[in-house]
Amino acid sequence: MPKSRLCKICGSETILVFNRGWSGKPYNLSYYRCNDEKCIFLHTDYIDNWSDEQISKMYEGHICGGGDQREYLPLDKVNLAKVILPNAHKILDVGSGEGLGVSVLRKAGFEAYGYDVVPPNVCQEYITTGDRACVGGTYDVVTAIEVLEHLIEPVDTCRWIASLLKEGGVFAFSTYTFDPNRHDANWWYLDIVGHVSLHTRSSLRLLAEASGFTVVTDVFSTHVWIRKDSIPTGAATKIKTKHVLKKLLDSQSYQVVWNRIKTKIA
Protein backbone atom coordinates (compact mmCIF):
# COMPACT_ATOMS: atom_id res chain seq x y z
CA MET A 1 0.00 0.00 0.00
CA PRO A 2 1.45 3.43 -0.95
CA LYS A 3 2.49 5.54 2.04
CA SER A 4 -0.10 8.18 1.12
CA ARG A 5 -2.82 5.54 1.52
CA LEU A 6 -1.79 4.63 5.07
CA CYS A 7 -3.64 6.43 7.85
CA LYS A 8 -2.03 9.83 8.35
CA ILE A 9 -2.78 9.75 12.07
CA CYS A 10 -1.90 6.25 13.31
CA GLY A 11 -0.15 4.67 10.32
CA SER A 12 -2.60 1.77 9.99
CA GLU A 13 -3.77 0.37 6.68
CA THR A 14 -6.86 1.92 5.11
CA ILE A 15 -9.69 0.82 2.85
CA LEU A 16 -11.27 2.66 -0.06
CA VAL A 17 -14.80 3.56 1.05
CA PHE A 18 -16.10 5.82 -1.74
CA ASN A 19 -15.32 8.19 -4.60
CA ARG A 20 -16.86 11.63 -4.94
CA GLY A 21 -16.11 15.22 -5.91
CA TRP A 22 -16.27 18.65 -4.29
CA SER A 23 -19.01 21.14 -5.07
CA GLY A 24 -18.23 23.03 -8.27
CA LYS A 25 -14.96 21.19 -8.96
CA PRO A 26 -14.30 18.55 -11.67
CA TYR A 27 -12.40 16.14 -9.42
CA ASN A 28 -13.01 12.47 -8.71
CA LEU A 29 -11.56 11.90 -5.26
CA SER A 30 -11.01 8.53 -3.59
CA TYR A 31 -11.52 8.58 0.19
CA TYR A 32 -9.77 6.03 2.40
CA ARG A 33 -10.82 5.10 5.94
CA CYS A 34 -8.47 3.88 8.63
CA ASN A 35 -8.96 0.21 9.53
CA ASP A 36 -8.10 0.77 13.19
CA GLU A 37 -11.34 1.08 15.16
CA LYS A 38 -9.52 3.29 17.67
CA CYS A 39 -8.91 5.89 14.94
CA ILE A 40 -11.18 5.63 11.81
CA PHE A 41 -9.64 8.74 10.22
CA LEU A 42 -10.93 9.46 6.69
CA HIS A 43 -8.76 11.07 4.04
CA THR A 44 -8.04 11.49 0.35
CA ASP A 45 -4.52 11.76 -1.05
CA TYR A 46 -5.77 13.35 -4.29
CA ILE A 47 -3.90 16.65 -3.82
CA ASP A 48 -0.98 15.39 -1.73
CA ASN A 49 1.60 16.07 -4.44
CA TRP A 50 0.08 19.23 -5.88
CA SER A 51 2.13 22.42 -6.11
CA ASP A 52 1.21 25.55 -4.14
CA GLU A 53 0.07 27.06 -7.45
CA GLN A 54 -2.30 24.14 -8.11
CA ILE A 55 -3.74 24.32 -4.61
CA SER A 56 -4.25 28.10 -4.84
CA LYS A 57 -6.07 27.64 -8.14
CA MET A 58 -8.25 24.96 -6.55
CA TYR A 59 -9.42 27.46 -3.93
CA GLU A 60 -10.30 30.18 -6.44
CA GLY A 61 -13.85 31.34 -5.82
CA HIS A 62 -14.02 29.46 -2.52
CA ILE A 63 -14.79 31.53 0.59
CA CYS A 64 -13.29 29.76 3.59
CA GLY A 65 -15.33 29.73 6.76
CA GLY A 66 -18.17 31.87 5.49
CA GLY A 67 -19.31 35.21 6.87
CA ASP A 68 -20.03 35.48 10.58
CA GLN A 69 -18.36 32.14 11.33
CA ARG A 70 -14.97 33.16 9.92
CA GLU A 71 -15.21 36.66 11.38
CA TYR A 72 -16.28 35.99 14.96
CA LEU A 73 -15.34 32.41 15.82
CA PRO A 74 -11.64 33.22 16.41
CA LEU A 75 -12.73 35.65 19.16
CA ASP A 76 -15.11 33.06 20.59
CA LYS A 77 -12.32 30.44 20.69
CA VAL A 78 -10.00 32.90 22.42
CA ASN A 79 -12.66 33.60 25.04
CA LEU A 80 -12.92 29.84 25.66
CA ALA A 81 -9.15 29.61 25.95
CA LYS A 82 -9.17 32.40 28.54
CA VAL A 83 -11.14 30.11 30.86
CA ILE A 84 -7.91 28.12 31.09
CA LEU A 85 -5.47 30.97 30.50
CA PRO A 86 -7.07 34.17 31.89
CA ASN A 87 -4.18 36.43 30.92
CA ALA A 88 -4.03 35.30 27.28
CA HIS A 89 -3.22 38.27 25.08
CA LYS A 90 -1.02 37.28 22.10
CA ILE A 91 -3.00 35.31 19.51
CA LEU A 92 -2.24 33.60 16.19
CA ASP A 93 -5.13 32.71 13.87
CA VAL A 94 -3.94 29.93 11.54
CA GLY A 95 -5.86 29.82 8.28
CA SER A 96 -6.83 33.46 8.74
CA GLY A 97 -8.27 33.80 5.23
CA GLU A 98 -9.32 37.34 4.38
CA GLY A 99 -8.13 38.57 7.79
CA LEU A 100 -11.56 39.22 9.28
CA GLY A 101 -10.93 37.19 12.41
CA VAL A 102 -7.64 38.98 13.08
CA SER A 103 -9.41 42.32 12.63
CA VAL A 104 -12.12 41.41 15.18
CA LEU A 105 -9.51 40.14 17.67
CA ARG A 106 -7.46 43.34 17.42
CA LYS A 107 -10.58 45.49 17.86
CA ALA A 108 -11.30 43.45 21.00
CA GLY A 109 -7.89 44.44 22.40
CA PHE A 110 -5.80 41.36 21.64
CA GLU A 111 -2.37 41.39 20.06
CA ALA A 112 -3.52 39.24 17.16
CA TYR A 113 -1.74 37.93 14.09
CA GLY A 114 -2.62 35.56 11.29
CA TYR A 115 -1.15 33.02 8.93
CA ASP A 116 -2.50 31.71 5.64
CA VAL A 117 -1.22 30.49 2.30
CA VAL A 118 -3.12 33.23 0.47
CA PRO A 119 -2.93 37.04 0.99
CA PRO A 120 -5.62 38.71 3.16
CA ASN A 121 -7.85 41.65 2.29
CA VAL A 122 -7.55 43.33 5.71
CA CYS A 123 -4.90 43.51 8.44
CA GLN A 124 -2.19 42.75 5.88
CA GLU A 125 0.53 44.07 8.17
CA TYR A 126 -0.36 41.50 10.84
CA ILE A 127 -0.70 38.41 8.63
CA THR A 128 2.07 36.18 7.29
CA THR A 129 1.46 34.38 3.99
CA GLY A 130 3.30 31.67 2.12
CA ASP A 131 6.01 29.69 3.91
CA ARG A 132 4.94 28.96 7.49
CA ALA A 133 8.61 29.08 8.54
CA CYS A 134 8.24 32.87 8.30
CA VAL A 135 5.83 32.87 11.27
CA GLY A 136 7.83 34.11 14.23
CA GLY A 137 7.36 34.43 17.98
CA THR A 138 5.32 32.43 20.46
CA TYR A 139 1.67 32.84 21.39
CA ASP A 140 -0.72 32.37 24.28
CA VAL A 141 -3.46 31.00 22.02
CA VAL A 142 -3.54 29.62 18.48
CA THR A 143 -6.94 29.44 16.77
CA ALA A 144 -7.85 27.56 13.58
CA ILE A 145 -11.37 27.93 12.21
CA GLU A 146 -12.30 25.13 9.80
CA VAL A 147 -8.65 24.37 9.02
CA LEU A 148 -7.81 20.84 10.20
CA GLU A 149 -9.98 19.24 7.52
CA HIS A 150 -7.77 20.95 4.89
CA LEU A 151 -4.45 19.63 6.20
CA ILE A 152 -2.44 17.31 3.98
CA GLU A 153 0.01 16.62 6.83
CA PRO A 154 -2.09 16.87 10.03
CA VAL A 155 0.48 15.56 12.53
CA ASP A 156 3.31 17.72 11.20
CA THR A 157 1.12 20.83 11.14
CA CYS A 158 -0.22 20.32 14.67
CA ARG A 159 3.33 19.79 15.97
CA TRP A 160 4.25 23.10 14.34
CA ILE A 161 1.30 24.75 16.10
CA ALA A 162 2.43 23.27 19.43
CA SER A 163 5.91 24.73 18.85
CA LEU A 164 4.38 28.21 18.50
CA LEU A 165 2.62 28.12 21.87
CA LYS A 166 4.07 29.43 25.08
CA GLU A 167 4.14 27.14 28.10
CA GLY A 168 0.51 26.77 29.17
CA GLY A 169 -0.63 27.80 25.69
CA VAL A 170 -3.98 26.75 24.26
CA PHE A 171 -4.96 25.53 20.79
CA ALA A 172 -8.66 26.27 20.18
CA PHE A 173 -10.16 25.26 16.84
CA SER A 174 -13.24 24.11 14.99
CA THR A 175 -13.80 21.12 12.74
CA TYR A 176 -16.78 18.80 12.38
CA THR A 177 -16.23 15.16 13.22
CA PHE A 178 -16.90 12.18 10.99
CA ASP A 179 -19.13 9.41 12.33
CA PRO A 180 -18.88 6.25 10.16
CA ASN A 181 -22.21 5.06 11.53
CA ARG A 182 -24.04 8.19 10.34
CA HIS A 183 -22.00 9.73 7.54
CA ASP A 184 -21.36 8.40 4.05
CA ALA A 185 -20.33 9.84 0.68
CA ASN A 186 -23.31 12.23 0.83
CA TRP A 187 -22.23 13.96 4.06
CA TRP A 188 -22.53 17.73 3.46
CA TYR A 189 -19.08 18.39 4.93
CA LEU A 190 -17.51 16.47 2.04
CA ASP A 191 -19.01 18.91 -0.48
CA ILE A 192 -16.59 21.64 0.56
CA VAL A 193 -13.50 22.29 -1.52
CA GLY A 194 -10.27 21.11 0.08
CA HIS A 195 -11.75 18.83 2.72
CA VAL A 196 -9.11 16.13 2.51
CA SER A 197 -8.82 15.14 6.20
CA LEU A 198 -11.96 14.17 8.10
CA HIS A 199 -11.58 13.32 11.76
CA THR A 200 -13.47 11.18 14.19
CA ARG A 201 -13.34 12.18 17.84
CA SER A 202 -10.96 9.24 18.32
CA SER A 203 -8.58 10.32 15.56
CA LEU A 204 -8.48 13.85 16.99
CA ARG A 205 -7.45 12.47 20.36
CA LEU A 206 -4.70 10.43 18.70
CA LEU A 207 -3.63 13.53 16.75
CA ALA A 208 -3.48 15.56 19.97
CA GLU A 209 -1.32 12.89 21.61
CA ALA A 210 1.01 12.65 18.60
CA SER A 211 1.51 16.41 18.38
CA GLY A 212 2.07 17.15 22.07
CA PHE A 213 -1.38 18.19 23.28
CA THR A 214 -3.94 17.04 25.82
CA VAL A 215 -7.62 17.37 24.93
CA VAL A 216 -9.57 19.61 27.30
CA THR A 217 -12.89 19.40 25.50
CA ASP A 218 -14.34 18.35 22.14
CA VAL A 219 -18.01 19.30 22.01
CA PHE A 220 -19.89 19.64 18.73
CA SER A 221 -17.38 21.23 16.32
CA THR A 222 -15.37 23.06 18.99
CA HIS A 223 -12.10 21.65 20.32
CA VAL A 224 -9.80 23.00 23.02
CA TRP A 225 -6.35 21.49 23.50
CA ILE A 226 -3.55 22.52 25.82
CA ARG A 227 0.14 21.76 25.54
CA LYS A 228 0.76 18.42 27.22
CA ASP A 229 3.77 19.68 29.17
CA SER A 230 1.64 22.28 30.96
CA ILE A 231 -1.76 20.67 31.48
CA PRO A 232 -3.26 21.16 34.96
CA THR A 233 -3.61 17.85 36.78
CA GLY A 234 -6.34 15.98 38.62
CA ALA A 235 -9.47 17.77 39.76
CA ALA A 236 -8.26 21.12 38.46
CA THR A 237 -8.45 19.82 34.90
CA LYS A 238 -11.99 18.54 35.40
CA ILE A 239 -13.13 21.84 36.89
CA LYS A 240 -11.60 23.84 34.05
CA THR A 241 -13.13 21.48 31.51
CA LYS A 242 -16.59 22.05 33.01
CA HIS A 243 -16.04 25.80 32.83
CA VAL A 244 -14.99 25.56 29.18
CA LEU A 245 -18.07 23.48 28.36
CA LYS A 246 -20.43 25.92 30.07
CA LYS A 247 -18.86 28.90 28.32
CA LEU A 248 -19.07 27.10 24.99
CA LEU A 249 -22.71 26.16 25.36
CA ASP A 250 -23.61 29.70 26.46
CA SER A 251 -21.60 31.43 23.75
CA GLN A 252 -23.43 33.52 21.17
CA SER A 253 -21.43 32.30 18.17
CA TYR A 254 -22.03 28.67 19.14
CA GLN A 255 -25.77 29.34 19.02
CA VAL A 256 -25.52 31.22 15.70
CA VAL A 257 -23.52 28.48 14.01
CA TRP A 258 -25.65 25.71 15.50
CA ASN A 259 -28.87 27.33 14.27
CA ARG A 260 -27.35 27.76 10.83
CA ILE A 261 -26.20 24.18 10.23
CA LYS A 262 -28.25 21.93 12.51
CA THR A 263 -30.60 21.00 9.67
CA LYS A 264 -27.61 19.73 7.66
CA ILE A 265 -26.32 17.27 10.25
CA ALA A 266 -27.69 13.98 9.06
Side-chain angles (χ1 to χ4, degrees), residues 7-28:
C7 177
K8 295 185 177 184
I9 305 302
C10 71
S12 298
E13 291 192 352
T14 62
I15 57 171
L16 173 63
V17 285
F18 50 73
N19 291 279
R20 59 154 298 149
W22 292 321
S23 179
K25 298 293 180 179
Y27 310 138
N28 182 30

Side-chain angles (χ1 to χ4, degrees), residues 9 22-23 27 46 65 72 81 89 98 100 109-111 113 121 128 131 137 149 173 185 204 219 229 241 246 252 258:
I9 305 302
W22 292 321
S23 179
Y27 310 138
Y46 190 86
Y72 292 105
H89 179 67
E98 297 178 351
L100 299 174
F110 293 99
E111 183 186 349
Y113 303 90
N121 291 329
T128 301
D131 188 351
E149 61 276 9
F173 63 95
L204 280 174
V219 175
D229 57 6
T241 298
K246 184 178 187 305
Q252 182 178 0
W258 169 247

Side-chain angles (χ1 to χ4, degrees), residues 174-223:
S174 67
T175 190
Y176 292 94
T177 49
F178 169 69
D179 182 346
N181 296 317
R182 298 174 57 225
H183 300 140
D184 57 20
N186 297 314
W187 186 30
W188 68 272
Y189 208 45
L190 288 167
D191 286 339
I192 301 172
V193 175
H195 281 200
V196 297
S197 293
L198 292 308
H199 287 276
T200 60
R201 292 179 71 185
S202 298
S203 72
L204 280 174
R205 288 181 178 273
L206 291 173
L207 176 59
E209 177 71 23
S211 50
F213 288 102
T214 294
V215 175
V216 175
T217 189
D218 57 351
V219 175
F220 190 45
S221 65
T222 292
H223 310 270

Side-chain angles (χ1 to χ4, degrees), residues 17-216:
V17 285
F18 50 73
N19 291 279
R20 59 154 298 149
W22 292 321
S23 179
K25 298 293 180 179
Y27 310 138
N28 182 30
L29 306 105
S30 298
Y31 279 88
Y32 300 87
R33 191 177 74 196
C34 177
N35 267 335
D36 189 336
E37 293 298 316
K38 296 180 180 178
C39 181
I40 325 182
F41 176 68
L42 179 72
H43 85 282
T44 178
D45 62 355
Y46 190 86
I47 66 170
D48 278 16
N49 297 314
W50 283 19
S51 66
D52 291 344
E53 182 180 356
Q54 286 176 297
I55 291 175
S56 295
K57 185 174 179 60
M58 176 187 75
Y59 283 118
E60 286 180 0
H62 172 64
I63 301 175
C64 297
D68 293 342
Q69 185 175 356
R70 174 93 287 282
E71 188 169 356
Y72 292 105
L73 277 182
L75 177 60
D76 189 60
K77 297 298 177 286
V78 170
N79 286 333
L80 289 178
K82 284 174 69 68
V83 177
I84 298 169
L85 198 64
N87 296 322
H89 179 67
K90 190 176 180 183
I91 316 298
L92 176 68
D93 185 28
V94 171
S96 49
E98 297 178 351
L100 299 174
V102 173
S103 176
V104 169
L105 285 165
R106 296 193 77 89
K107 288 176 182 177
F110 293 99
E111 183 186 349
Y113 303 90
Y115 168 73
D116 209 316
V117 294
V118 295
N121 291 329
V122 298
C123 289
Q124 290 91 339
E125 64 271 38
Y126 303 115
I127 296 175
T128 301
T129 58
D131 188 351
R132 74 185 192 191
C134 296
V135 177
T138 55
Y139 303 85
D140 300 310
V141 179
V142 172
T143 60
I145 308 305
E146 301 300 300
V147 169
L148 266 71
E149 61 276 9
H150 294 268
L151 300 181
I152 295 173
E153 298 179 332
V155 175
D156 179 67
T157 303
C158 287
R159 285 175 176 167
W160 169 70
I161 288 171
S163 74
L164 294 173
L165 285 167
K166 299 177 183 177
E167 184 175 355
V170 175
F171 179 31
F173 63 95
S174 67
T175 190
Y176 292 94
T177 49
F178 169 69
D179 182 346
N181 296 317
R182 298 174 57 225
H183 300 140
D184 57 20
N186 297 314
W187 186 30
W188 68 272
Y189 208 45
L190 288 167
D191 286 339
I192 301 172
V193 175
H195 281 200
V196 297
S197 293
L198 292 308
H199 287 276
T200 60
R201 292 179 71 185
S202 298
S203 72
L204 280 174
R205 288 181 178 273
L206 291 173
L207 176 59
E209 177 71 23
S211 50
F213 288 102
T214 294
V215 175
V216 175

